[in-house]
Amino acid sequence: MAAERNFTVARSVEPEWARIIERLWQERELLVADFLQRFSAISYGGAHVPERDVYDTAVDTMDMFIFEMAGAELPPDLRALPRDIAVRRARQGVPLDAFLEAIRNDFRVLWKGLERVARPDGIGILVSNMDRVLDMVEGYVSNIQQAFAEEEALLARDKQLYRQRLLTRLFHGQPGDEGEVAEIATTLGVQPAGPFEVLAVIDDAVPQAQRAFATADDVYVYENAEALYVFRPQRKGRSWLGDEPGFPAGYVSDAQGLAAVPAAAASALVLAKNRRNGSLLATVEETWMGIADGLLGAALPGFADRVTRALDRCTPHERERLLQVARSYARTGSIKETSEELYCHRNTVVNRLRSLQDVIGLDLTVPAQAARALVALSRYGKAPA
């Protein structure tokens, strides 16, 4: 490349400086060799950049610097060099810190070459032109950083757009075979058959969830008109249930495989819409009775009326005592554990359960009756399980 470029120092450049630059032009191969030797100790942070690319870039960069120091017009192929290099390195996945370290080597190599050709009588001229060299390199670094940041932003946008297209295929395309699911999983970087946990976020919590996961690489977010769905691979010892994300949502765990995520998301949406006051995450365990009550109430009008009328006739204090023992016993299934949880004697628990049976006509110790009772009791605030 360098041999094909015609180089002439501008007439406006002072003669002493022109002689130094002309000598440097003659030795520019040494500049490239010095850069490549230094670069071997830096590399590009594991990114794959072909050796020929590194060499050609070093040649072009040194030529560009010398043309600029000579006040000469840049050849057409060097005029967009900083942007071209920055775009190429960003697309090659070169980390910015490794890229900037290589650029800093440009200045070290350039200054070492200038010192070499300036000796012994041109050091004073070199020092007097130091600001020119520094300004040139600073401008180059600034252009590189700006172009690199812009290209990274474009790449991130394109990556996000592609990810959203994949998620649309997953949620609405109904992947027809394992091969299609495997393709989506590979692109997303997840195991197609692994377990997943899913959140469904609605209403005012959506902006909170968007902010919470805006920069999370291992979390996948998909939004439609109904809700914002968030999912990620489920891992042992780590779950949103154990470490709540900070906003209300419906939560489903153990979705077996990526293909099962849309169905889990639909379930999570139902849970989110039926969330009770209490914990931020609505789970099947604490929400199913309220959902069942709504469904049974629609299918069987008056399904729970007998229970609710009976409890409504109790005093608030008595009603709360009965609900308290019902909730605890439903959760533990044990007279002993219920008595320990409520800090009372086991006989007191037995008596309260009997009193509840007398009031509502259903026995919580009989599974079939307990299921009906607990669905009806779910209308009273906190779910009993």
Side-chain angles (χ1 to χ4, degrees):
M1 286 185 173
E4 299 176 1
R5 292 175 180 140
N6 296 319
F7 174 76
T8 304
V9 178
R11 294 181 179 180
S12 59
V13 174
E14 57 270 34
E16 296 87 348
W17 181 244
R19 283 193 292 272
I20 290 175
I21 299 305
E22 286 170 348
R23 291 175 198 160
L24 189 64
W25 177 258
Q26 297 303 319
E27 295 189 7
R28 64 194 189 280
E29 291 184 4
L30 292 177
L31 298 179
V32 173
D34 187 13
F35 173 84
L36 294 176
Q37 182 179 5
R38 292 168 179 265
F39 178 79
S40 64
I42 299 173
S43 184
Y44 271 139
H48 176 66
V49 179
E51 291 184 7
R52 185 67 192 184
D53 187 348
V54 175
Y55 173 80
D56 289 344
T57 300
V59 171
D60 291 344
T61 302
M62 293 306 163
D63 280 8
M64 183 192 69
F65 284 152
I66 296 173
F67 268 90
E68 290 184 344
M69 289 188 295
E73 183 178 355
L74 286 175
D77 63 319
L78 295 182
R79 291 171 188 168
L81 183 64
R83 172 166 289 278
D84 291 343
I85 296 172
V87 168
R88 194 160 65 248
R89 295 295 180 260
R91 292 177 179 176
Q92 290 165 335
V94 175
L96 180 58
D97 56 348
F99 187 28
L100 292 179
E101 180 61 25
I103 292 172
R104 283 190 285 269
N105 259 349
D106 288 334
F107 173 71
R108 298 186 186 102
V109 168
L110 189 63
W111 191 256
K112 180 181 177 182
L114 286 168
E115 287 183 328
R116 183 173 60 250
V117 298
R119 290 191 177 94
D121 55 351
I123 295 299
I125 297 298
L126 176 58
V127 172
S128 66
N129 282 275
M130 182 182 293
D131 287 344
R132 174 186 292 182
V133 177
L134 290 175
D135 290 344
M136 177 191 67
V137 174
E138 184 178 342
Y140 174 71
V141 171
S142 178
N143 289 336
I144 283 279
Q145 286 181 300
Q146 180 178 348
F148 191 91
E150 290 173 355
E151 186 62 22
E152 279 202 317
L154 287 174
L155 291 172
R157 186 188 66 184
D158 290 344
K159 180 180 180 181
Q160 184 63 25
L161 178 61
Y162 183 50
R163 175 184 280 192
Q164 289 305 306
R165 288 174 178 169
L166 288 176
L167 293 177
T168 299
R169 283 173 56 191
L170 177 66
F171 276 81
H172 297 287
Q174 297 182 347
D177 54 46
E178 293 182 2
E180 188 172 2
V181 174
E183 177 190 348
I184 296 174
T186 298
T187 307
L188 294 178
V190 300
Q191 294 296 323
F196 291 84
E197 56 180 345
V198 185
L199 299 173
V201 188
I202 59 175
D203 302 331
D204 294 341
V206 170
Q208 294 177 264
Q210 290 171 328
R211 289 192 297 269
F213 298 115
T215 59
D217 292 331
D218 61 342
V219 175
Y220 303 90
V221 179
Y222 178 74
E223 185 175 8
N224 63 20
E226 284 191 293
L228 182 79
Y229 300 109
V230 184
F231 68 95
R232 69 181 181 185
Q234 189 168 323
R235 301 175 186 173
K236 291 183 179 179
R238 169 196 174 192
S239 76
W240 281 316
L241 193 60
D243 184 16
E244 291 184 342
F247 49 82
Y251 174 75
V252 172
S253 62
D254 296 315
Q256 293 302 308
L258 186 61
V261 165
S267 297
L269 177 59
V270 173
L271 297 176
K273 291 179 176 179
N274 288 274
R275 189 181 72 87
R276 302 289 185 91
N277 293 331
S279 61
L280 286 177
L281 299 187
T283 64
V284 172
E285 290 74 17
E286 67 179 16
T287 313
W288 74 267
M289 285 176 287
I291 297 173
D293 179 43
L295 294 173
L296 287 169
L300 302 171
F303 164 79
D305 287 355
R306 188 182 73 175
V307 172
T308 55
R309 281 197 299 266
L311 280 173
D312 288 345
R313 286 195 292 268
C314 297
T315 66
H317 176 70
E318 179 62 16
R319 182 168 56 247
E320 183 54 37
R321 283 205 315 160
L322 296 178
L323 289 172
Q324 187 182 50
V325 75
R327 291 164 182 162
S328 180
Y329 184 74
R331 184 167 49 252
T332 64
S334 165
I335 298 292
K336 179 176 182 296
E337 291 183 32
T338 299
S339 66
E340 292 174 351
E341 187 174 280
L342 299 182
Y343 300 103
C344 63
H345 194 274
R346 57 178 289 115
N347 290 341
T348 302
V349 173
V350 172
N351 290 335
R352 289 183 184 177
L353 288 174
R354 188 176 294 119
S355 295
L356 179 65
Q357 180 182 353
D358 292 340
V359 170
I360 66 175
L362 296 169
D363 185 356
L364 262 65
T365 65
V366 178
Q369 295 184 39
R372 182 178 175 183
L374 294 175
V375 169
L377 295 178
S378 67
R379 297 186 177 188
Y380 291 91
K382 183 179 178 182

